Amino acid sequence: MSDASYRQDLQAFAIELRRLAYTMPAGHEDRLIHLSERMASRARQLPKVDAQAM
């Protein structure tokens, strides 16, 4: 799996999790929304590649 594909999947999972969070009873969605934000943030970060490792 390429880095770009991995990031796209992670972003899609974050969006799906956020949508699911909004179906939760009031007050229970906060943790899921925060997790979704962390996932989306990580998906937006550029991967750090060690050129010597290749």
Side-chain angles (χ1 to χ4, degrees):
M1 177 179 275
S2 71
D3 286 341
S5 176
Y6 176 77
R7 286 194 311 266
Q8 287 174 345
D9 283 348
L10 187 57
Q11 180 72 28
F13 296 152
I15 292 168
E16 187 176 343
L17 180 61
R18 179 170 284 257
R19 288 180 181 150
L20 178 63
Y22 285 121
T23 67
M24 302 289 289
H28 296 284
E29 73 278 4
D30 287 346
R31 290 177 60 193
L32 294 177
I33 290 171
H34 290 297
L35 177 58
S36 171
E37 281 300 315
R38 287 181 17 222
M39 291 168 68
S41 175
R42 180 60 62 130
R44 288 188 296 266
Q45 290 178 353
L46 294 175
K48 295 179 182 177
V49 176
D50 183 2
Q52 293 181 359
M54 292 180 165

